[in-house]
Amino acid sequence: MAVLEMRNVSFSYPDGTQALIDINLRLDPGDCVVICGASGSGKSTLLQMLKREIQPVGLATGEIQWDGLPFAEQELARTAQEIGMIFQDPENQIAMDEVWQELAFGLENMGLSTDDIRKRVAEIVHFFGIEDLLDRKTHELSGGQKQMVNLAAVLLMQPKILLLDEPTAQLDPIAAREFLQMMQRLNEELGMTIVLAEHRLEDVFALADRVLVMEHGQIKYEGTPKEVIRHI
Ligand code: ADP
Ligand code: ADP
């Protein structure tokens, strides 16, 4: 069964801007889909439509299903936790003073015991190779380190899907490459289902199973990275 499916989804902002036109998208477990397109083509709006917590305000038509059930019938808290999101600005998502607090925070809210929290945090920093960041102040981290911590924090919530909105746009090239390599490991080693919006195609081709090219709110083309390179 598809994890997530959009059928004939269109969306207009209150000022009349048609941001999405008749979008059809199916995500199966373990997919890594890259959405590319120029600025303003609708990538962010599309990701927001999938993340119920932050859906944009406006007129939506069509259908979004999550595990075969309409979004409306899902419990908001459950969906919110199961869809993890990473944004362009690494700063935006950091809430706590110290890295370990940032990582523990979501698990504390879920009511996990201190032992469980320590164990899960230790596992994730090991997977990411960021043990040395645990006792650092979050505001002292580089953009790339912040984005890695954001990703680790989101993963600790054990989402079924990761949505990433140009997560490397503000990182230097080396940090961007490290971040994208981590995405590839999450997809290949943990089977994480990923949707990544990105306008710099060359950086993300290695990682994508499928690329969707957006233009003026529509999916203009869809294919494997190789097919898309030949097409554009
Ligand atoms: P992208 O992520 O590809 O840059 P967006 O989804 O942000 O594209 O934007 C799609 C279209 O919707 C653009 O024309 C943009 O100007 C418009 N848009 C985005 N946010 C709003 C908003 N809050 N109100 C009105 N129009 C918006
Ligand atoms: P709050 O209820 O205060 O908003 P949450 O428990 O929702 O806090 O989130 C705590 C932390 O866990 C956040 O800093 C965030 O990074 C992460 N987090 C939790 N759920 C999600 C999610 N669905 N997507 C992305 N990040 C999440």
Side-chain angles (χ1 to χ4, degrees), residues 51 53 79-85 93 95 102 105-106 109 150 153-154 157:
K51 175 84 174 146
E53 258 183 323
T79 321
Q81 189 194 317
E82 290 186 347
I83 304 182
M85 183 130 186
Q93 233 165 324
E102 186 69 33
F105 176 60
N109 284 347
N150 286 331
V154 166
M157 307 308 289

Side-chain angles (χ1 to χ4, degrees), residues 13-15 17-20 37-46 165-166:
Y13 284 100
D15 68 359
T17 306
Q18 267 215 304
L20 298 177
S39 175
S41 59
K43 304 184 295 298
S44 285
T45 307
L46 177 60
D165 195 353
E166 305 202 27

Side-chain angles (χ1 to χ4, degrees), residues 4 12-13 23 58 93 96 138 166 169 210 227:
L4 198 57
S12 306
Y13 284 100
I23 300 290
Q93 233 165 324
M96 308 299 279
T138 48
E166 305 202 27
R210 216 155 23 107
E227 288 166 347

Side-chain angles (χ1 to χ4, degrees), residues 153-169:
V154 166
L155 277 178
L156 278 168
M157 307 308 289
Q158 303 185 312
K160 281 196 178 170
I161 294 192
L162 271 182
L163 306 177
L164 303 102
D165 195 353
E166 305 202 27
T168 61

Side-chain angles (χ1 to χ4, degrees), residues 56-172:
V57 175
L59 181 66
T61 59
E63 198 183 358
I64 302 178
Q65 286 199 342
W66 172 242
D67 277 341
L69 264 187
F71 251 28
E73 289 174 22
Q74 311 266 344
E75 203 189 324
L76 181 60
R78 179 183 157 252
T79 321
Q81 189 194 317
E82 290 186 347
I83 304 182
M85 183 130 186
I86 297 285
F87 301 91
Q88 205 179 100
D89 184 358
E91 217 64 63
N92 250 341
Q93 233 165 324
I94 301 267
M96 308 299 279
D97 282 341
E98 293 179 24
V99 170
W100 71 268
Q101 294 171 326
E102 186 69 33
L103 295 175
F105 176 60
L107 298 174
E108 277 165 10
N109 284 347
M110 283 169 67
L112 262 67
S113 73
T114 310
D115 274 357
D116 281 348
I117 293 174
R118 276 181 202 278
K119 194 164 150 264
R120 287 221 213 159
V121 169
E123 280 168 10
I124 204 86
V125 295
H126 179 70
F127 184 86
F128 274 72
I130 55 169
E131 291 95 332
D132 56 323
L133 296 186
L134 263 187
D135 291 320
R136 298 274 299 277
K137 300 268 188 222
T138 48
H139 72 267
E140 290 170 357
L141 303 180
S142 69
Q145 289 170 328
K146 281 188 182 129
Q147 205 62 313
M148 283 292 194
V149 169
N150 286 331
L151 186 57
V154 166
L155 277 178
L156 278 168
M157 307 308 289
Q158 303 185 312
K160 281 196 178 170
I161 294 192
L162 271 182
L163 306 177
L164 303 102
D165 195 353
E166 305 202 27
T168 61
Q170 298 190 16
L171 308 188
D172 65 66

